[in-house]
Amino acid sequence: MVPVSDPQTTRPDPPGPVDWPSADPRPPGRGEPVRAVRRVFQAFGAVLGVQAIAAFAVLLILNSYRRGAAGWLLPLVAVADLAVTLQIGWLAIRDIRLAGGRATGPRRLLTALVLLLVAGAAGGGYLYQRHATAPVRGVLGTPVRDGDLSFTASGPRCGVRIKGISAHGALCRVRLTAANTGSTTLRLDAAAQRLHGDGGAHPGSFVVRRSRKKTYTRSASRTMPAGSSFATYLLFDVPTGFAARALELHATGESRGVRIEIPGA
């Protein structure tokens, strides 16, 4: 006779009633709000990290040789930043829905946090851009640099008369010494140099002596080879009674420039 195995010894049943695991292991009515909020703040942390990377990219562009391409690089960074931010938010809402939670509240919270962060980043970027493009402060009679050019300027003298040069109002004259410290030839634009005061800013021109004559004329620009320097007068045609407040000097029309306040103005 073949022995029959006893099921009680080979496959014992657990004591008590059988408790099969439910399809959803989470206790009903608990855990869902905590998980949703946690997922929202995880997404917010990821968005914060993306903003930090975008800010680093902007700083790298504005402080490198790629600064001239900022006109198209910065919008590209902004579009990529927005796309990644929206993707992070969408994934967070999808995870909450898949977990069986309500997405309305988390979606509103995440939207508010992201909008607040983006607004802060935009405001900070605007303030930094204003600071980065504002002219450097300088002092009369002291060399100041803008790009590869070094300037030394005297205070303006207004009401001067120069033989051969007429004016619509009054003439203000500034003695200027410029030196090209770079390795390439530059063209210094006189109109990029401005005298600020009552009624706005006024562009300048260079004073040039006519050959074989004791008269002078205006010049719009001056070519400066690498390593060269020259001394000249900047001339500004200003309204009668004009009070000079500041002198602004630029290596090029698009450069940051140097702003020199005029004492006693």
Side-chain angles (χ1 to χ4, degrees), residues 33-198:
V34 175
R35 180 172 182 176
V37 172
R38 184 172 67 247
R39 186 65 183 89
V40 166
F41 280 98
Q42 287 176 349
F44 182 70
V47 171
L48 189 63
V50 171
Q51 303 307 313
I53 295 174
F56 177 77
V58 170
L59 290 175
L60 192 63
I61 292 170
L62 294 178
N63 294 279
S64 70
Y65 70 96
R66 291 293 185 184
R67 184 174 181 175
W72 65 270
L73 281 176
L74 293 182
L76 182 63
V77 171
V79 170
D81 182 16
L82 180 61
V84 174
T85 298
L86 293 177
Q87 180 74 3
I88 292 173
W90 179 81
L91 289 174
I93 298 303
R94 188 199 64 172
D95 290 347
I96 294 172
R97 286 177 174 174
L98 291 177
R102 295 181 179 180
T104 303
R107 183 171 61 247
R108 291 177 179 175
L109 177 59
L110 185 60
T111 301
L113 292 175
V114 170
L115 289 179
L116 183 63
L117 182 60
V118 171
Y126 172 74
L127 293 177
Y128 175 80
Q129 179 69 10
R130 289 194 59 182
H131 171 74
T133 57
V136 177
R137 298 292 179 177
V139 179
L140 291 173
T142 302
V144 289
R145 289 180 60 89
D146 182 38
D148 289 334
L149 284 186
S150 174
F151 298 103
T152 305
S154 66
R157 291 184 58 190
C158 295
V160 298
R161 296 181 181 273
I162 300 177
K163 189 176 181 180
I165 297 179
S166 60
H168 296 287
L171 291 177
C172 287
R173 186 181 67 186
V174 173
R175 182 168 180 80
L176 177 73
T177 301
N180 182 359
T181 62
S183 58
T184 59
T185 299
L186 298 176
R187 191 172 187 84
L188 184 59
D189 184 8
Q193 324 311 321
R194 295 183 175 271
L195 188 63
H196 293 261
D198 300 333

